[in-house]
């Protein structure tokens, strides 16, 4: 019996399990999927939570529901991938040998990578919406928003779903308008890119759309640190952007197990 092991049961791991199980003979291939979390998070839905369009219920589902029959599910952290030995070590110490390994452990935000980001104001006037906790906390904060400088900020590239911050900018513009708060709010879009987006044509069109909506684009801003006491972003070339509310996309990084395993 050959063994196919999938690490991570998020979008990618779940799709691989569902696509491959019907294609691989069950008498020939044993399939196992490992994830440390019993909950599947529908991350694209996080974007809509700050505006009350989605609630937690819409984005949180039991992971087992999406794992097809014939795939063994192990609920456990993956401690190490021993690629030279074709083995995976789980948190319990259990060893899973494999013939084929699919790594689908995704990427996560790391606000601690930016000096000051977690020091003052985190989830008070600095929020992410790339985690469920961040999106829910931002929803609460927006309920109390009365106006001021609202800064949408990309810390560094690459990030998963690079269009999500732009979608957020257009959604918050609409949401503020609906509540009569748009004229009381200055919106800024701060990015390390040289324009609104990664691709030139889209960048030009989206840059124009930001301008039409009165959202000020601040390009080529590579943040060195966040001053949470003075509510400022400070770049490596000493430019400053003040905020009353900072909605940031912190540094995205792959799962720690990959680095730990020397891959
Ligand atoms: C706000 C937002 C909006 C988005 N909008 C879109 C969109 O409109 N369209 C689109 O295509 N994409 C969108 N995305 C991106 C999309 O959600 C991701 O690209 C996708 O989830 C990546 O799938 P993945 O399986 O690689 O990682 P994930 O879905 O993050 O899954 C990784 C899994 O690995 C598990 N894992 C990690 N490390 C370990 C370990 N050591 N041990 C055990 N398990 C582990 C985790 O628990 C997790 O379940 C958006 C993302 C965000 C945050």
């Amino acid at each position: 019996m050959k063994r196919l092991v999938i690490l991570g049961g998020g979008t990618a791991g779940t799709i691989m399990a569902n696509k491959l199980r019907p294609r691989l003979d069950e008498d020939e291939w044993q399939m196992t999927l490992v994830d440390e979390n019993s909950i599947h998070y529908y991350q694209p839905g996080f974007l809509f939570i700050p505006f009350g369009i989605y609630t937690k219920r819409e984005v949180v589902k039991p992971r087992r529901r999406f794992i097809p029959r014939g795939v063994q599910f192990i609920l456990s952290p993956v401690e190490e991938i021993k690629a030279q030995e074709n083995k995976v070590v789980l948190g319990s110490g259990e060893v899973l040998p494999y013939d084929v390994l699919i790594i689908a452990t995704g990427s996560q935000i790391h606000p601690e990578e930016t000096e000051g980001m977690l020091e003052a104001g985190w989830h008070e006037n600095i929020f992410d919406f790339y985690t469920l906790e961040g999106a829910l906390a931002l929803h609460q904060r927006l309920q109390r928003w009365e106006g001021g400088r609202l800064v949408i900020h990309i810390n560094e590239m690459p990030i998963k779903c690079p269009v999500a911050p732009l979608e957020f900018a257009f959604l918050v513009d609409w949401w503020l308008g609906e509540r009569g708060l748009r004229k009381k709010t200055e919106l800024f879009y701060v990015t390390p890119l040289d324009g609104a987006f990664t691709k030139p044509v889209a960048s030009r069109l989206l840059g124009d759309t930001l301008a039409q909506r009165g959202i000020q684009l601040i390009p080529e801003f590579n943040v060195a640190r966040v001053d949470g006491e003075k509510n400022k972003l400070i770049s490596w070339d000493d430019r400053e952007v003040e905020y009353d509310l900072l909605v940031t996309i912190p540094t995205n990084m792959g799962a720690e197990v990959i680095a730990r395993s020397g891959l």
Side-chain angles (χ1 to χ4, degrees):
M1 195 75 149
K2 286 183 272 190
R3 289 155 302 199
L4 171 69
V5 174
I6 302 172
L7 304 182
T11 308
T14 304
I15 289 175
M16 292 308 278
N18 281 277
K19 292 278 184 195
L20 289 174
R21 184 64 285 177
R23 288 172 171 79
L24 296 176
D25 188 336
E26 292 203 25
D27 294 330
E28 246 182 86
W29 284 91
Q30 183 190 69
M31 282 180 63
T32 305
L33 186 148
V34 186
D35 201 294
E36 62 192 348
N37 201 324
S38 61
I39 293 167
H40 180 101
Y41 295 100
Y42 177 60
Q43 296 175 44
F46 295 173
L47 175 65
F48 303 106
I49 286 178
F51 310 106
I53 300 168
Y54 275 13
T55 63
K56 187 175 172 181
R57 252 185 85 226
E58 271 99 18
V59 298
V60 169
K61 307 282 176 207
R63 192 177 302 286
R64 279 179 200 274
R65 189 186 296 178
F66 305 109
I67 299 171
R69 192 196 53 77
V71 176
Q72 181 198 13
F73 175 50
I74 300 179
L75 181 62
S76 167
V78 178
E79 192 54 35
E80 193 184 348
I81 301 158
K82 296 193 172 201
Q84 302 297 335
E85 300 170 36
N86 283 13
K87 284 177 185 160
V88 169
V89 183
L90 302 184
S92 61
E94 186 189 342
V95 175
L96 282 185
Y98 62 81
D99 295 290
V100 174
L101 180 70
I102 296 175
I103 302 175
T105 44
S107 65
Q108 292 82 33
I109 60 159
H110 284 268
E112 76 285 359
E113 287 288 311
T114 304
E115 187 185 330
M117 195 173 270
L118 288 180
E119 273 164 34
W122 183 250
H123 287 187
E124 288 167 18
N125 67 342
I126 306 175
F127 296 87
D128 75 281
F129 64 93
Y130 268 45
T131 59
L132 179 60
E133 301 71 40
L136 289 168
L138 179 55
H139 174 63
Q140 292 301 322
R141 180 64 190 87
L142 282 177
Q143 298 307 305
R144 291 179 278 112
W145 180 254
E146 291 176 351
R149 289 171 69 94
L150 196 160
V151 174
I152 301 145
H153 166 243
I154 301 171
N155 204 62
E156 64 175 304
M157 299 299 278
I159 56 171
K160 57 183 159 186
C161 199
V163 83
L166 279 164
E167 290 178 279
F168 184 92
F170 296 129
L171 277 166
V172 80
D173 172 59
W174 158 78
W175 186 88
L176 290 164
E178 292 286 302
R179 275 153 192 78
L181 290 167
R182 183 62 185 93
K183 288 201 173 81
K184 296 178 185 161
T185 306
E186 280 184 281
L187 284 178
F188 298 87
Y189 192 83
V190 180
T191 170
L193 298 172
D194 60 5
F197 197 55
T198 47
K199 305 278 184 289
V201 175
S203 186
R204 199 182 63 245
L205 291 170
L206 289 162
D208 289 349
T209 311
L210 286 175
Q212 282 156 16
R213 287 167 195 263
I215 303 169
Q216 297 176 53
L217 177 66
I218 303 181
E220 295 182 328
F221 192 97
N222 290 294
V223 79
R225 63 191 175 90
V226 179
D227 184 337
E229 302 292 343
K230 295 189 178 142
N231 294 338
K232 281 182 196 171
L233 290 172
I234 299 154
S235 69
W236 289 107
D237 56 358
D238 289 327
R239 285 181 290 155
E240 295 185 353
V241 175
E242 290 182 22
Y243 59 83
D244 295 305
L245 177 58
L246 177 65
V247 179
T248 186
I249 319 298
T251 297
N252 282 209
M253 292 169 80
E256 281 162 23
V257 63
I258 296 174
R260 244 192 342 260
S261 306
L263 296 176

